[in-house]
Amino acid sequence: MKYLWTEDTGAGFHFWKLLNQLFFENAFVVESKESNQGILDALTVLKIENDL
């Protein structure tokens, strides 16, 4: 999963979501850094693999 983290909120946030939809076919999960909760939620689904 690829994330696009933006400082924008409101109209700016919707701009990045629209850009993601129109040009990148929703390849990214767009999150605002207004709150770190989105980052924390993303970390809970990561799978860490040890290739040593």
Side-chain angles (χ1 to χ4, degrees):
M1 199 174 282
K2 298 176 184 175
Y3 283 85
L4 177 91
W5 302 108
T6 178
E7 296 283 342
D8 294 324
T9 59
F13 180 66
H14 293 292
F15 165 78
W16 288 110
K17 289 184 83 165
L18 182 61
L19 190 73
N20 179 43
Q21 180 183 7
L22 294 176
F23 293 102
F24 300 107
E25 298 177 356
N26 291 316
F28 298 96
V29 176
V30 181
E31 291 285 347
S32 172
K33 289 181 3 183
E34 169 188 4
S35 166
N36 286 333
Q37 190 59 48
I39 296 171
L40 295 173
D41 291 343
L43 290 174
T44 63
V45 298
L46 286 179
K47 292 183 181 178
I48 299 173
E49 297 178 3
N50 189 353
D51 291 336
L52 297 177

